[in-house]
Amino acid sequence: MAVEGEHQLQTNGHAKQAEESANSVQSKELRKKKRKKFLIFVALSTLFQIAVTLFSSLYIMKVRTPKFRIRSATFDVLSKNAENSSFNITMNAEFGVKNANFGPYKYRDSTIYFFYNGVNIGEAFVSHGKAGFKSTKIFNVLVNLSSKDIPKDSKLRNDTNSETLTLTSKSKLEGKVALIFVLKKKKSTEMDCTITVGLADKVIRDIDCD
């Protein structure tokens, strides 16, 4: 009986050791899985932060040049004299400053110049303003265009006879783009547009801007 009891104790001891060993292996496996999950989480978090940083630096924080363009125009007065090759135009022009940045673009006062065949025929003042976050600032300008300073040459005579004038409009806006309303970057934009005017029907036939 004593031998039998001793054998049972040894059996129980071996069983307990086996159970403890199994629990230890299982515990190590759980810790290993947790470490693996933690490392995966850290790697994914790091990749996400890198992606956000790249997106911010390449897209959100990138400063784009605003676009300054003449959009349309109408005429309050349009008179021409083919005999003495002259014209006098009062034009109401609509301009737009398109801002594609993730922050407002504030520009200073400027001047718009109008030319015929390289000769200045009129100017218009642009008051300082702001094109908002990814939006277009639209404003109107009234300008008088006159041929009084243009030499009376064959080109002007031919254009007035053909009822078509080709004008150019140039200007430059200087200002700053405020990114996230804190970081400010200087940015200037230039306008260079060609305007085809129909004298007979008193309309803008075409506007082409670079």
Side-chain angles (χ1 to χ4, degrees), residues 13-29 31:
H14 288 312
K16 188 174 182 181
Q17 288 178 356
E19 184 179 355
E20 289 177 351
S21 178
N23 289 337
S24 177
V25 170
Q26 188 176 11
S27 178
K28 287 181 180 179
E29 288 294 328
R31 287 197 298 270

Side-chain angles (χ1 to χ4, degrees), residues 82-95:
E83 291 183 3
N84 61 9
S85 303
S86 65
F87 62 82
N88 186 56
I89 299 171
T90 301
M91 184 170 68
N92 186 3
E94 181 181 273
F95 293 87

Side-chain angles (χ1 to χ4, degrees), residues 48-172:
F48 177 75
Q49 290 177 5
I50 292 173
V52 169
T53 302
L54 286 174
F55 177 78
S56 177
S57 60
L58 296 178
Y59 190 64
I60 295 179
M61 300 300 290
K62 182 180 179 180
V63 180
R64 298 165 179 81
T65 302
K67 293 182 179 180
F68 183 29
R69 300 288 186 267
I70 180 170
R71 294 162 56 94
S72 63
T74 57
F75 302 103
D76 293 340
V77 176
L78 195 160
S79 62
K80 59 95 180 180
N81 190 320
E83 291 183 3
N84 61 9
S85 303
S86 65
F87 62 82
N88 186 56
I89 299 171
T90 301
M91 184 170 68
N92 186 3
E94 181 181 273
F95 293 87
V97 181
K98 185 178 181 181
N99 175 30
N101 292 290
F102 285 87
Y105 174 61
K106 295 183 179 180
Y107 54 88
R108 299 195 289 270
D109 296 342
S110 186
T111 304
I112 302 172
Y113 301 93
F114 293 85
F115 301 89
Y116 169 82
N117 200 28
V119 179
N120 189 337
I121 59 172
E123 299 177 2
F125 175 74
V126 179
S127 180
H128 65 278
K130 179 177 73 172
F133 173 102
K134 294 189 75 66
S135 65
T136 301
K137 169 71 173 180
I138 298 173
F139 57 89
N140 287 76
V141 172
L142 193 67
V143 58
N144 294 316
L145 308 176
S146 174
S147 62
K148 61 182 178 64
D149 294 327
I150 301 175
K152 301 300 186 289
D153 58 10
S154 58
K155 177 173 174 51
L156 179 58
R157 185 166 53 253
N158 291 338
D159 285 348
T160 52
N161 286 331
S162 67
E163 306 286 355
T164 302
L165 286 179
T166 300
L167 312 177
T168 55
S169 178
K170 298 178 183 290
S171 184
K172 182 178 182 179

